Each structure stands twice: as structure tokens, then as C-alpha cells.
Amino acid sequence: MISKEIFEETLLQFLAPIRPLLDDPGVSDIMINGPNQIYYEKKGNLFLADSKFESVEHLTAALRNAAQYVGKHIDEERPILEGRLPDGSRIEAVLPPAAPDGPCVSIRRFFKETLTVQRLIGFGAMTEEVAQSLKAFVASKLNILIAGGTGSGKTSMLNALSSFIPDGERVVIIEDSRELQLQRDHVCQLEARPADPKGRGEVKIRDLFKATLRLRPDRIVVGEIRGGEALDLIQAMTSGHGGCLSTLHATYPRDTISRLETMAMMSDLGMPLQALRIQLASAVNLICQVSRLQDGSRKITHISEVLGYDVNSSTYQMQDIFVREYTGFDPSGKIESTIGPTGIMPRCIEQLHEHGMDLPASVYEAAQRRR
């Protein structure tokens, strides 16, 4: 049996052309378009690397080694790999013939240092008043979805918000591929698993959901919603498991609800569409929308409350509690923006008070000005 340390070092030797990028803590993404083209993202900007892989065969060998490291297979019959590297980075790869110009690879890096709420405030991703509001929302066990595009910082935001979960609560995490690093002690981490080459041993996220409900969770955290498990999450949210947190891909808060509805319909849905919409609107309390702006910075753009579903107009009722406003560019080309309260008081304020929490004074002042 090869030791884990030797296996990891062997894999890194296969990845020698990108080893300096993997060792650079400032690199957030590495993108390989065939053996001769390697791009990387640093501080929100893309750069072309000087290094290359010797050939398609060398790159393919590296990917097969990476697949073996996570107990998966990648070849012409199974050309897609989803896994992680020894340092926890997420790797997604596609081989020919699905990628006709050569293997296509994306590696998402994760901060080795914990990305705390205070650091996000320092980066300008949120303000102190937004952080205080989010603390009240999380501690009061509201169900929150963190939505945004690819590379917008959804996972980092979820990790940071987990610090607001009160001590003593048991958190069960469900993920397709392990990425979350929650800032809590009492955590039970579950990970889905694909079938082996003979079709055996598959564990789906929906299977883990069923097990989770009997693991006595105080909170359920889903790394990312991508399919029919959306229905399981909605039902968990409405069946006494408050304080659920999850991420999904969507550009705006209203798109987030529509996408969640679409994914719930991917399951073996046994209820009328209108009933699903009513349950969904009851399940989700807040949407925290994050975005990667044109200058590469990652910010919270909206915090929106879901109020319910209007049967007569067939629309979801929503209102923005915080919204980011843009004022232009500074001399260095960075986007200037601020996020502040809209003056609309959230209907969930009573639930906050029941948990001994409240919103910052600036939210009340904005509401007074609006009136």
C-alpha cells in the first residue's frame, strides 16, 4: 500500500508545470486549455503562465493520477473528472473526445487561511452593519441561500457566515465534493460518492439527505444545490430544520428562486407546481447575493427577503433589505460602490427578537427616512 504522503508527492510531480501556481497563496484559479496554454487568476485578474505541459499524454497522465487520488476514473468512456487535490483545491477536468482540442482543466484554489467576516469587511465585500445583520439572521435560524455566478465567492461567504452559528448547535454538512471549512466545532461532514466502474457503491446527495434527517442536526448545510436535492432541502426547511444554509448559481435574487424551483422539479416531483411554489416561498427566508465585479473584486450586492408566493399573480413576493449602489471608478480603475439598507424593514424582525437578536440602528434609521 502506497502511503498517502508518497501518493500526494507523486501527484504533485505530475503537476510540475503548475506547481508554482499551486504554491502561490494569491492564485485563486488555474485554467488549463490543452498542454500548451495555462491561465491563472490572481487578485481578480487573468494572466497567461509561462509554463506548459510537455504533451497531451503528460497532461492526461497527470489527470489520471489525480482521479486515482480521489478513487475515481477518467478515460475516453468517462471523460469528466470532479475531485480535489491534496491541498483541498477543487479540480474539474474534461478529456477528449468531449474536449476535442485537448484536456480542459479548471482548478479552484481555497485560502489556507480562514476567510473570516472581518477579513471580508476589510476587502469591502460587506460593511460592519451588513455583518451585524447577517449575524442576526443566521443566529435566528433563518433559512439562507447564498447565490452568485462562478467564482463570485459563494463558498467563502458560506464559510464566513458559519461563524455566526451559535455554539452548541450540531451542524451536518452535505457536499458533492468536500470543500466547506465551517468555522464551528460540532460538525458532521458527509460527502457523495460516484459509482465504481461496475456501477456499484454510488451515494447520491439525496441519499445523504435522508440519512441526515436521522443524525439529529440542528442545522443542515448543503455545499451547493445542483439538482433534485433542492426538493429535499425545501422540505427539510419546512419540517422543523431551521437555519439551513446553502449555495447555488444565480445572477440576481429573483433568478435564485426561479433556479431553485427548476432544480426541485428535476426530482420525482409528486406535488402540483403551485404547491411546490408555495412551499418553496415558505422555506427560503433570505437570499444573500454575491457577485464578482468587473474589476475582479467580490462583493455582496443584495440581501433580499422572500415574503411568500402570490397565487393570483403567480409571482414570488420579495423585497430588498440591503442593496449595493455603484458610483463609478477610482483613479486605479477599481469600481466604487457602497452597500446600505434600503429602508424596508424585514418581516422576519419578530423572529429575530424571539432569538434575542436585532438589526443595527442604521436599518431603523433608513426605515424612518423612507417613511
Side-chain angles (χ1 to χ4, degrees):
M1 177 70 77
I2 301 175
S3 71
K4 187 173 183 286
E5 290 75 16
I6 294 175
F7 203 154
E8 290 179 358
E9 186 56 39
T10 302
L11 172 56
L12 291 174
Q13 287 174 10
F14 274 99
L15 297 172
I18 61 169
R19 184 76 180 265
L21 299 177
L22 290 171
D23 292 336
D24 186 342
V27 172
S28 56
D29 281 276
I30 302 169
M31 292 141 281
I32 305 169
N33 307 324
N36 299 319
Q37 194 178 69
I38 301 172
Y39 282 91
Y40 63 95
E41 181 182 316
K42 192 169 184 178
K43 295 182 179 178
N45 297 306
L46 287 179
F47 302 93
L48 179 63
D50 297 328
S51 56
K52 300 177 181 178
F53 283 86
E54 291 182 27
S55 65
V56 169
E57 289 72 26
H58 278 84
L59 177 53
T60 303
L63 295 175
R64 285 180 174 153
N65 202 275
Q68 189 178 0
Y69 176 75
V70 291
K72 297 181 180 180
H73 299 267
I74 185 169
D75 52 33
E76 289 188 359
E77 294 182 0
R78 292 156 295 192
I80 300 175
L81 169 67
E82 185 174 307
R84 61 177 180 270
L85 299 180
D87 66 352
S89 298
R90 184 181 72 204
I91 181 169
E92 186 80 21
V94 183
L95 287 187
D101 294 331
C104 186
V105 187
S106 177
I107 298 173
R108 167 63 52 81
R109 307 292 315 291
F110 294 102
F111 282 103
K112 287 185 170 60
E113 299 177 41
T114 302
L115 199 59
T116 62
V117 170
Q118 286 305 315
R119 290 193 66 186
L120 289 174
I121 293 173
F123 293 153
M126 67 173 82
T127 61
E128 189 69 50
E129 65 179 356
V130 170
Q132 291 175 18
S133 300
L134 287 170
K135 180 178 181 179
F137 294 143
V138 173
S140 301
K141 302 200 79 170
L142 297 179
N143 295 316
I144 302 173
L145 295 180
I146 300 165
T150 301
S152 58
K154 298 184 296 297
T155 302
S156 298
M157 186 62 65
L158 178 52
N159 284 332
L161 294 189
S162 70
S163 65
F164 295 143
I165 296 174
D167 292 331
E169 291 193 11
R170 174 175 168 81
V171 183
V172 178
I173 303 173
I174 302 173
E175 294 184 271
D176 203 37
S177 184
R178 186 169 177 174
E179 296 176 11
L180 292 177
Q181 299 170 322
L182 296 197
Q183 298 167 33
R184 294 289 85 196
D185 294 325
H186 194 169
V187 172
C188 176
Q189 204 132 12
L190 307 179
E191 185 178 18
R193 186 180 71 180
D196 66 12
K198 295 182 179 179
R200 301 172 304 188
E202 181 180 23
V203 180
K204 298 179 181 178
I205 284 185
R206 299 197 69 182
D207 300 326
L208 295 175
F209 246 115
K210 294 173 184 175
T212 296
L213 298 178
R214 295 187 177 181
L215 288 176
R216 198 220 163 271
D218 290 308
R219 304 217 180 209
I220 300 173
V221 175
V222 182
E224 183 182 338
I225 308 170
R226 293 197 286 187
E229 68 274 6
L231 180 62
D232 299 288
L233 179 64
I234 291 167
Q235 292 180 336
M237 286 175 167
T238 55
S239 61
H241 292 89
C244 293
L245 298 168
S246 188
T247 73
L248 76 161
H249 284 81
T251 310
Y252 296 103
R254 197 162 292 278
D255 297 337
T256 300
I257 290 293
S258 299
R259 279 219 70 215
L260 188 65
E261 177 190 305
T262 301
M263 289 187 287
M265 291 170 64
M266 292 179 186
S267 66
D268 46 348
L269 189 63
M271 68 172 76
L273 178 58
Q274 186 165 292
L276 168 66
R277 288 173 170 172
I278 292 171
Q279 192 173 67
L280 190 160
S282 173
V284 179
N285 301 122
L286 286 172
I287 295 168
C288 178
Q289 193 75 40
V290 294
S291 180
R292 182 177 178 272
L293 304 185
Q294 186 180 337
D295 60 5
S297 61
R298 295 166 173 86
K299 314 274 190 186
I300 292 178
T301 60
H302 299 77
I303 297 178
S304 304
E305 184 181 26
V306 182
L307 304 175
Y309 178 74
D310 189 319
V311 177
N312 295 324
S313 62
S314 298
T315 56
Y316 291 101
Q317 304 299 302
M318 302 173 65
Q319 61 183 13
D320 295 328
I321 310 303
F322 285 89
V323 170
R324 181 169 295 275
E325 295 182 351
Y326 306 90
T327 54
F329 294 85
D330 68 12
S332 65
K334 292 289 184 182
I335 295 175
E336 293 182 325
S337 65
T338 56
I339 184 169
T342 60
I344 298 174
M345 288 300 296
R347 288 191 194 171
C348 61
I349 193 71
E350 289 302 320
Q351 186 169 339
L352 269 60
H353 293 163
E354 288 171 11
H355 286 79
M357 306 299 297
D358 206 348
L359 296 174
S362 58
V363 176
Y364 289 94
E365 291 165 3
Q368 189 68 33
R369 289 195 299 271
R370 185 183 178 94
R371 284 198 293 268

